[in-house]
Amino acid sequence: MKSRPIYSETPGASCGFSLVELVVVLLVLGLIMAGVMGPLSAQQEARRVNESRLTLDAALEALAGYAMANGGLPCPAVGTIATGSNGAGVAPANCVFGPGSVAVGVLPWVTLGLPENDAWGHRMTYAIALDFDAQASKTPKFTLNSTGRIDVYTRLPQINTNRQVLGAPMLILSHGKRGQGAFMSDGSQIAAGTDPRVIENADGDRSFVSQTTADDDFDHIIRWMATPTLMAKMVQAGKLP
């Protein structure tokens, strides 16, 4: 006679996972993934911050190089022009100066041969002070007597004890991960929200806020060049006096 296979006769017995066991396994896997993804996300964000800082530093050098070659800084590009359209990323021949005799727009990335956006995909704000522009209608261009007009504060309110920089000739700004106040590639602008520091950095005047706080949502990154530094570069290039 042939032998018969041995199997369990216990009613309802199963060799798989029960529903409770499956839930426990999924819960454990979820906790493991959360523990892994958290640090990875933080590392990715740190890389973006570092990349944006390097992009801003490169932009400062490119702006200084432009000034040394042309006797002044390029005008800000118009932020509302979509990428690929006429004039996108190009410095206009003449600047439009607003409150405080400062022209504010976006970095003219085409004119300078730079990336259009920061690491979060936002265009970078760019401001220059009157007397430092190289616009076509201006003769002579800036001199050793020119003074910057852009002020940077470590926090609000705008009082002398909170002022970090007085009278910079130029400034560039990344609007961080949130991008509040930044222009996008399609020419639209992200709302500034309700944070007074963000609003200050997006209102087109001469004052800006540069503040770094570990537990704060304010994530703007600002770079500027002091007037003596730019003057020294111009003298070295033979453009001044």
Side-chain angles (χ1 to χ4, degrees):
M1 293 179 61
K2 294 182 178 178
S3 60
R4 299 176 64 185
I6 299 174
Y7 58 89
S8 171
E9 296 288 349
T10 306
S14 172
C15 60
F17 288 108
S18 70
L19 183 59
V20 173
E21 291 171 327
L22 186 58
V23 170
V24 171
V25 169
L26 291 175
L27 180 60
V28 172
L29 286 175
L31 291 172
I32 292 173
M33 290 300 294
V36 171
M37 293 303 295
L40 286 178
S41 178
Q43 290 174 17
Q44 186 178 48
E45 187 59 22
R47 280 197 298 270
R48 286 186 177 132
V49 170
N50 188 55
E51 286 174 14
S52 294
R53 286 173 176 165
L54 292 174
T55 298
L56 292 175
D57 290 340
L60 274 186
E61 290 303 314
L63 288 166
Y66 184 98
M68 288 187 283
N70 297 280
L73 295 165
C75 295
V78 179
T80 55
I81 301 177
T83 302
S85 301
N86 244 353
V90 177
N94 294 299
C95 303
V96 178
F97 291 96
S101 298
V102 170
V104 183
V106 297
L107 190 72
W109 70 90
V110 172
T111 299
L112 297 171
L114 293 171
E116 175 183 357
N117 301 319
D118 61 16
W120 295 279
H122 309 132
R123 289 177 175 174
M124 291 161 281
T125 291
Y126 165 56
I128 67 167
L130 182 70
D131 295 338
F132 287 86
D133 54 292
Q135 61 188 45
S137 63
K138 185 174 179 179
T139 305
K141 295 166 184 179
F142 78 84
T143 69
L144 288 173
N145 294 321
S146 300
T147 56
R149 299 170 185 266
I150 299 170
D151 297 335
V152 182
Y153 296 84
T154 57
R155 59 187 178 277
L156 297 177
Q158 299 169 342
I159 56 178
N160 286 337
T161 55
N162 294 339
R163 190 155 48 191
Q164 185 173 5
V165 177
L166 172 63
M170 64 174 173
L171 175 146
I172 46 180
L173 161 67
S174 163
H175 293 259
K177 179 181 180 179
R178 294 178 164 202
Q180 292 178 311
F183 283 94
M184 302 295 289
S185 294
D186 62 359
S188 64
Q189 186 177 22
I190 300 174
T194 59
D195 189 321
R197 298 164 299 181
V198 176
I199 294 171
E200 183 59 75
N201 287 351
D203 64 2
D205 68 8
R206 59 181 287 182
S207 300
F208 293 84
V209 180
S210 177
Q211 178 180 328
T212 303
T213 308
D215 59 349
D216 202 337
D217 289 331
F218 182 69
D219 58 357
H220 288 186
I221 306 170
I222 292 183
R223 292 287 185 272
W224 61 84
M225 184 170 289
T227 301
T229 302
L230 182 59
M231 293 290 192
K233 290 178 179 290
M234 298 292 288
V235 170
Q236 185 179 11
K239 295 294 182 179
L240 289 175

